[in-house]
Amino acid sequence: MNRKKISVLVTIVILLLVCTSCSLLSTIGGNSTAGNTQVGGNISHLDLDDLDTSNPAAVVASKTVSSCVRIIVTLSSGAEMNGAGFIITTDGYIVTNRHVVVQYRSGNDLPSGLSDHRIAVTQIKAVFADNTYLEADEIMFSDNAAVDLAILKIKPSSTTFTPIELDASSQLYYGQDAYTFGNPEGIGLLFSHATISSPAHSFKSNGTDFKDIIMLDSNVNHGNSGGVLLNSKGRAIGVVYGRIESTGSTTTVNNTYGIGCALPIKEVISFINKSTYSSIIKYVQYSESTESDSGSEIGSGSSGSES
């Protein structure tokens, strides 16, 4: 009788140990993050069998979510800035906004002759939809306030990324459906639907002339900056960078809501072509319109020259 009791107790102890071990393994495995080759690869909803392929928004989101990232920038002051970005090459070049990664003690805009007033960046993280992340380096940024762009490069890793194709050859139009991935208020990577209110709008803001800006009927919150603007084919047609909002007045006529702005994707292609890193353009899948042709084929690329 005593032997039976001992046997039962031993069995119970073994079962408890096994259950505890499984629980610990589950917790440890669920917290793995950067540095592994599966980064960004744990997004379960990419392979849903019941994906509604008749829903264009769902198709675009599933096609591009693994190529979009949250950008978290840590400054030497200890402050953090949040934005978004998207991958344009298989080795991890990222497009985002300049103001996401560049801050000056005198403000966001580049002060003439005061580049030494920039606040140093101590870390840049590219965070994927499944919350895995990799660190990135700033490669270059525009010194033109009207071209609010920066290029980052994910630090060397064994991961091969899926880039988003850049489409500068398609004619944009009023009422066109568009989609964005952003990081509003730093809460996470979110997908939104938008309508193009104006395909090429020009205006002046704070003394800067903005030309051919894509206007959207969706509001752009802090943290959406640098996010991709997509067409119904899942190709990048713009880079979200800001919104029109009221400042300095509480009068009804100046209360402005729900007007977002995006740079046309042709600015990204031109920015890279005219930079010292123009050689990377041959690794970018893109199309652009020309006077003699409707646009080079997606994936062909071409090395540009400064004009």
Side-chain angles (χ1 to χ4, degrees):
M1 189 71 176
N2 288 336
R3 287 182 179 179
K4 287 184 178 180
K5 287 183 178 180
I6 293 171
S7 177
V8 170
L9 286 173
V10 169
T11 301
I12 292 173
V13 170
I14 291 173
L15 287 172
L16 287 172
L17 287 172
V18 170
C19 291
T20 303
S21 298
C22 289
S23 177
L24 286 171
L25 285 172
S26 176
T27 302
I28 294 169
N31 289 332
S32 63
T33 55
N36 62 60
T37 56
Q38 298 301 315
V39 62
N42 301 318
I43 307 169
S44 59
H45 56 278
L46 283 176
D47 300 316
L48 283 178
D49 293 331
D50 59 349
L51 176 67
D52 182 4
T53 56
S54 67
N55 181 342
V59 173
V60 170
S62 293
K63 179 181 179 180
T64 58
V65 62
S66 61
S67 307
C68 298
V69 293
R70 292 186 287 141
I71 303 295
I72 302 176
V73 179
T74 304
L75 302 176
S76 59
S77 61
E80 279 192 350
M81 298 188 296
N82 284 279
F86 57 100
I87 295 171
I88 60 169
T89 64
T90 56
D91 58 345
Y93 280 93
I94 296 173
V95 173
T96 187
N97 285 147
R98 183 190 76 177
H99 73 262
V100 171
V101 294
V102 179
Q103 288 282 327
Y104 292 88
R105 293 185 179 89
S106 56
N108 288 342
D109 290 334
L110 183 68
S112 178
L114 295 176
S115 59
D116 58 329
H117 283 203
R118 180 182 176 185
I119 301 174
V121 171
T122 59
Q123 186 184 53
I124 301 175
K125 289 181 182 178
V127 186
F128 293 82
D130 62 354
N131 288 324
T132 56
Y133 73 86
L134 291 172
E135 291 191 24
D137 291 317
E138 170 200 307
I139 298 299
M140 58 182 175
F141 62 89
S142 173
D143 59 1
N144 180 352
V147 183
D148 189 354
L149 292 171
I151 303 294
L152 310 178
K153 174 67 172 66
I154 291 176
K155 292 184 177 181
S157 76
S158 57
T159 303
T160 298
F161 302 97
T162 302
I164 289 181
E165 298 172 356
L166 313 186
D167 188 353
S169 65
S170 298
Q171 183 70 41
L172 304 183
Y173 54 88
Y174 289 96
Q176 180 177 349
D177 285 326
Y179 310 93
T180 67
F181 268 109
N183 179 25
E185 303 298 340
I187 64 173
L189 198 63
L190 301 185
F191 182 77
S192 300
H193 172 259
T195 300
I196 293 180
S197 304
S198 175
H201 196 72
S202 298
F203 58 91
K204 178 175 281 190
S205 176
N206 296 324
T208 300
D209 289 316
F210 293 86
K211 296 181 179 180
D212 298 331
I213 300 301
I214 304 170
M215 307 301 289
L216 308 169
D217 71 344
S218 62
N219 198 8
V220 176
N221 295 295
H222 297 291
N224 282 81
S225 296
V228 65
L229 181 68
L230 300 156
N231 62 16
S232 58
K233 295 180 180 179
R235 295 173 178 170
I237 56 174
V239 183
V240 174
Y241 77 90
R243 67 188 180 198
I244 294 178
E245 61 182 17
S246 304
T247 55
S249 175
T250 57
T251 59
T252 302
V253 70
N254 286 323
N255 285 341
T256 307
Y257 303 97
I259 303 179
C261 306
L263 291 167
I265 208 66
K266 66 180 182 181
E267 294 289 357
V268 174
I269 297 171
S270 175
F271 174 55
I272 296 173
N273 271 333
K274 293 180 179 181
S275 75
T276 55
Y277 290 87
S278 60
S279 61
I280 72 172
I281 199 69
K282 63 185 177 183
Y283 301 108
V284 178
Q285 296 181 345
Y286 74 97
S287 64
E288 59 181 337
S289 60
T290 64
E291 292 183 1
S292 59
D293 186 61
S294 60
S296 57
E297 292 184 5
I298 286 285
S300 65
S302 61
S303 57
S305 59
E306 293 192 15
S307 57

